[in-house]
Amino acid sequence: MTNDQKTTHFGFEQVAVEKKAERVADVFHSVAAKYDLMNDLMSAGIHRLWKRFTIEASGVRAGHKVLDIAGGTGDLSYQFSKLVGKDGQVILADINASMLNVGRDRLIDRGVAGNLQFAQADAQYLPFPDNTFDCITIAFGLRNVTDKDLALRSMLRVLKPGGRLLVLEFSKPQHTALEKVYDTYSFKLLPLMGKLITNDADSYRYLAESIRMHPDQETLKGMMRDAGFVNTEFSNMTGGIVALHKGIKP
């Protein structure tokens, strides 16, 4: 973010800080209805393995309280609701009403138990008391947040001491050849798929650009440490195309 000019990036474009959230909202209003279908097509279904790894790394168990930020259509929340049981609680939070509605309808159709609640919430200003959650996840959402440092501090505040943050996000491929192939896929094929399936190439062009503008693995690890997390680490998946960052509230 460029504070002196009060601008930030929206993909490769510089926009006024106060306009980014609105622009991001427009993207997800547009893609919400076919979000799951596009995820399966874009990743050839591998996103399910990335999410399974996140669940396994969470340490969530019966009785825990979990916050799934940018929970979208509820893949993680569904699994967490089964793990925490009747004495636990899962809150699926998303800033985008369209995504939240799709997620709620999908989970109701799947017969999710009464331990799951929904909240329209901004990751930068989480509307929960201090020291509330045993675990917080944010999957493929942090790169769309205007002020990532502010959001990380907000997550730290609402975690219980000893609680765990998991950030699942696209990252930097670790091999030059893979990075070149990935760039071609992202900037050529992804917008084309968006146009053919959702009649919206621009939203998927933004999503590709937002991945390139997101901090790389070491930078995000440092941001989490600066926000106050300890024992910060990350695990690369699929050659670094995706990384899972972990941190603990002291």
Side-chain angles (χ1 to χ4, degrees):
M1 186 182 300
T2 310
N3 288 324
D4 55 342
Q5 299 175 343
K6 296 186 187 261
T7 63
T8 189
H9 61 81
F10 175 79
F12 293 160
E13 181 184 353
Q14 285 292 311
V15 298
V17 167
E18 62 272 15
K19 292 291 186 182
K20 177 169 179 174
E22 178 183 337
R23 296 282 297 274
V24 171
D26 288 342
V27 168
F28 284 93
H29 285 313
S30 175
V31 305
K34 294 187 177 179
Y35 186 79
D36 286 330
L37 172 61
M38 283 297 293
N39 273 352
D40 281 329
L41 292 174
M42 288 187 299
S43 71
I46 298 175
H47 74 98
R48 300 178 187 277
L49 299 179
W50 299 332
K51 291 170 182 173
R52 183 185 304 169
F53 184 79
T54 303
I55 295 289
E56 292 173 350
S58 71
V60 168
R61 58 184 185 271
H64 273 183
K65 297 187 71 171
V66 178
L67 175 62
D68 181 17
I69 300 174
T73 54
D75 285 345
L76 292 181
S77 290
Y78 177 70
Q79 298 299 328
F80 282 135
S81 73
K82 294 191 290 185
L83 289 175
V84 303
K86 62 182 179 59
D87 295 324
Q89 181 186 39
V90 178
I91 296 179
L92 190 164
D94 204 296
I95 193 172
N96 187 275
S98 295
M99 292 295 293
L100 196 63
N101 287 336
V102 170
R104 182 174 55 230
D105 292 347
R106 181 173 179 237
L107 292 174
I108 289 172
D109 288 345
R110 296 179 77 176
V112 171
N115 60 8
L116 182 58
Q117 297 179 345
F118 303 88
Q120 187 170 0
D122 185 337
Q124 300 168 119
Y125 310 101
L126 292 170
F128 308 106
D130 296 0
N131 308 317
T132 297
F133 298 99
D134 297 284
C135 180
I136 295 176
T137 57
I138 178 166
F140 307 114
L142 186 61
R143 74 181 189 278
N144 297 307
V145 175
T146 302
D147 190 333
K148 297 173 181 61
D149 295 307
L150 181 61
L152 289 170
R153 293 195 299 272
S154 182
M155 295 176 210
L156 183 78
R157 178 185 64 79
V158 301
L159 270 174
K160 296 177 182 177
R164 182 174 304 187
L165 170 65
L166 299 173
V167 181
L168 179 65
E169 188 55 89
F170 292 107
S171 200
K172 182 175 176 58
Q174 297 301 287
H175 305 285
T176 302
L178 177 60
E179 188 169 21
K180 290 180 179 178
V181 171
Y182 188 46
D183 278 345
T184 299
Y185 169 77
S186 299
F187 295 110
K188 301 293 185 183
L189 294 180
L190 190 56
L192 178 61
M193 290 169 61
K195 181 173 180 57
L196 292 174
I197 295 168
T198 69
N199 197 31
D200 184 357
D202 289 342
S203 290
Y204 286 92
R205 188 173 294 109
Y206 158 74
L207 292 175
E209 293 175 358
S210 71
I211 292 168
R212 296 308 182 277
M213 298 301 293
H214 186 66
D216 64 19
Q217 288 92 324
E218 288 292 346
T219 301
L220 180 55
K221 178 182 174 181
M223 291 169 64
M224 292 174 65
R225 186 173 58 246
D226 291 343
F229 290 93
V230 297
N231 300 334
T232 55
E233 58 181 345
F234 63 84
S235 301
N236 284 319
M237 292 178 277
T238 318
I241 287 175
V242 164
L244 177 66
H245 282 71
K246 294 173 275 189
I248 304 295
K249 178 173 179 174

